[in-house]
Amino acid sequence: MIRRKLINFAEMSCDYRVGPDALVELGSLVQSIVGTPKRALLLMGQSHQAEAGVLAQRALIDAGFQVFDVVLSEGEAPFNLSVAHALFEHLDEYNITADDVVVALGNMDICSLASYCAPHWCGGVALALVPTTLDAMVCSATQMRGLATSKHAEMLWLHAHPDLVVANLDFIQEATPESLQLGYLELISSALMDSKHAWNRLEAQLEQIMQGEEIALVDALCAAQGARLAAVKSPSPSAQSAPLFGVTTARALQSLVGSEFSYTQCLAEGMRFEARLAVEAGRFEADDMFAVDDRIWAVGIEEPSFTVEVDAFLSAIKRTRFQRSNRLLFALPQMIGSIRLSVVDEELLERHARAYLKSRAESLEPAQ
């Protein structure tokens, strides 16, 4: 059974569909957002070209669309303006108009590229996303991953406003536990910004979610859409930054450790570190901080061991933040259900950084 959730933005809405075998209904769902089917540009990741891509193409053809395929490699390098420019050229080549549709099937990068290009084409062309990873199923309806410049990653982005998101749970059933961990972190973050009820409900359902139980997955994904929508629709810029919890530290840490650790590991560390900052810099309860730790451990992400100098860590945090803002602010939980931009005193930041890095270095020392 496919569950529907309508995500109402201020100026438009997104039809969010989630369930098993959802890809089978893609044609009729896409037809509902364009009226008369004519042309569809199907953007997909290379890893899904053979199977899911064929199913999506057939569903669109059966609904009356003339389909043009564009296949991109996933995960090799951050998408940038040159990749976006190439997609614009394909849209021009295939005569895609404002009355046609772009359908993106792939990971968060693929969905984000489409979310960037579709609003620019002919003043806005209908956009349907078929996320194939759990993190994209959580985030792509309300957020895109920024495109890179020649110097920095994730600098060019728009507020994501797809017309349709089809979250096909079959992709999750086929995924490895490690590939799902980033999505679990996004579910944890979404529940944390939502409410005490959502936070406790996620705790109760987490084991079922990790076992791939359909009802628990559908409930968690729909709840995450509501939480993230409330953040992006908030009139407060501080509240709009809630999805950035842990991200500043994650970006800084990744710039220092390089490919030694995945972004998933860096984000988990960012959430752990910033939850500790929130206890002293804000009103976050210590018990809630430990609850964040418990949930991260529960999804299988252990604390990594590494050595980084304190000055290098602090410099990376400031450099990362100042690339996108003139103020050194962190998106910190004030309580369960409230994440806000917060000022952190430099002495406090240095003290926590020193203690955090010492704990990670100590785990490298051989047992006596």
Side-chain angles (χ1 to χ4, degrees):
M1 181 177 179
I2 297 177
R3 177 94 63 90
R4 182 186 189 190
K5 184 175 182 65
L6 197 62
I7 303 174
N8 288 308
F9 299 99
E11 65 279 11
M12 61 163 293
S13 64
C14 171
D15 188 359
Y16 187 90
R17 305 291 185 115
V18 54
D21 297 321
L23 201 58
V24 176
E25 298 188 25
L26 181 64
S28 59
L29 293 173
V30 172
Q31 184 179 359
S32 70
I33 65 173
V34 297
T36 304
K38 192 168 184 182
R39 287 179 289 265
L41 186 139
L42 177 59
L43 176 70
M44 71 183 93
Q46 193 173 39
S47 60
H48 295 98
Q49 181 181 8
E51 296 182 12
V54 171
L55 288 175
Q57 185 181 52
R58 287 175 179 170
L60 292 169
I61 291 173
D62 289 344
F65 290 95
Q66 182 183 10
V67 182
F68 303 95
D69 295 346
V70 175
V71 181
L72 296 177
S73 298
E74 300 166 282
E76 293 182 0
F79 285 173
N80 54 29
L81 271 180
S82 65
V83 181
H85 178 74
L87 180 54
F88 286 131
E89 292 293 334
H90 286 300
L91 290 165
D92 198 20
E93 176 187 358
Y94 299 130
N95 298 315
I96 302 298
T97 72
D99 297 318
D100 296 317
V101 63
V102 172
V103 180
L105 186 153
N107 61 14
M108 190 63 184
D109 286 332
I110 298 288
C111 291
S112 296
L113 178 65
S115 293
Y116 183 82
C117 293
H120 285 103
W121 190 252
C122 295
V125 60
L127 173 63
L129 303 178
V130 186
T132 58
T133 58
L134 181 57
D135 61 299
M137 292 180 190
V138 176
C139 300
S140 62
T142 54
Q143 179 184 359
M144 68 163 282
R145 183 173 295 160
L147 304 181
T149 66
S150 58
K151 291 184 178 180
H152 305 299
E154 298 187 45
M155 296 300 290
L156 303 166
W157 59 275
L158 299 169
H159 292 293
H161 289 155
D163 299 279
L164 170 70
V165 174
V166 179
N168 184 21
L169 295 185
D170 295 342
F171 291 119
I172 295 179
Q173 306 297 344
E174 299 165 1
T176 64
E178 292 76 17
S179 67
L180 295 172
Q181 287 177 342
L182 181 56
Y184 296 148
L185 291 180
E186 297 292 3
L187 287 175
I188 292 169
S189 180
S190 298
L192 183 61
M193 72 178 77
D194 191 347
S195 65
K196 190 72 172 179
H197 173 75
W199 183 246
N200 292 337
R201 184 172 176 81
L202 180 66
E203 180 184 22
Q205 291 183 322
L206 198 53
E207 184 175 348
Q208 296 171 309
I209 290 170
M210 294 177 64
Q211 291 173 351
E213 293 191 15
E214 179 186 323
I215 294 176
L217 275 168
V218 170
D219 284 348
L221 285 168
C222 288
Q225 303 316 306
R228 301 178 71 83
L229 176 65
V232 300
K233 281 182 62 176
S234 172
S236 166
S238 180
Q240 291 172 13
S241 299
L244 294 178
F245 169 56
V247 171
T248 296
T249 301
R251 287 169 172 164
L253 188 59
Q254 192 165 51
S255 72
L256 297 172
V257 299
S259 59
E260 184 178 356
F261 300 114
S262 67
Y263 178 73
T264 299
Q265 291 173 298
C266 290
L267 180 58
E269 288 299 284
M271 293 168 66
R272 286 172 170 135
F273 178 71
E274 292 183 18
R276 280 157 176 74
L277 284 181
V279 173
E280 195 167 349
R283 297 173 289 129
F284 201 46
E285 296 287 341
D287 287 346
D288 292 332
M289 174 198 75
F290 289 122
V292 172
D293 268 356
D294 290 343
R295 282 158 179 70
I296 295 174
W297 275 101
V299 299
I301 306 176
E302 299 180 356
E303 296 177 353
S305 303
F306 57 87
T307 54
V308 169
E309 295 296 326
V310 174
D311 288 345
F313 183 61
L314 293 173
S315 295
I317 286 177
K318 293 175 182 179
R319 182 172 61 251
T320 298
R321 186 60 188 162
F322 290 146
Q323 285 170 2
R324 299 167 177 85
S325 173
N326 292 329
R327 299 177 295 169
L328 184 59
L329 301 174
F330 292 83
L332 301 182
Q334 303 301 304
M335 62 185 72
I336 302 297
S338 176
I339 299 178
R340 298 291 186 270
L341 286 178
S342 307
V343 176
V344 177
D345 180 78
E346 292 212 22
E347 184 275 331
L348 185 152
L349 178 61
E350 181 178 350
R351 177 156 44 83
H352 277 269
R354 196 174 297 279
Y356 165 71
L357 294 173
K358 182 180 179 182
S359 70
R360 295 301 181 263
E362 284 177 347
S363 58
L364 285 172
E365 297 176 2
Q368 299 296 323

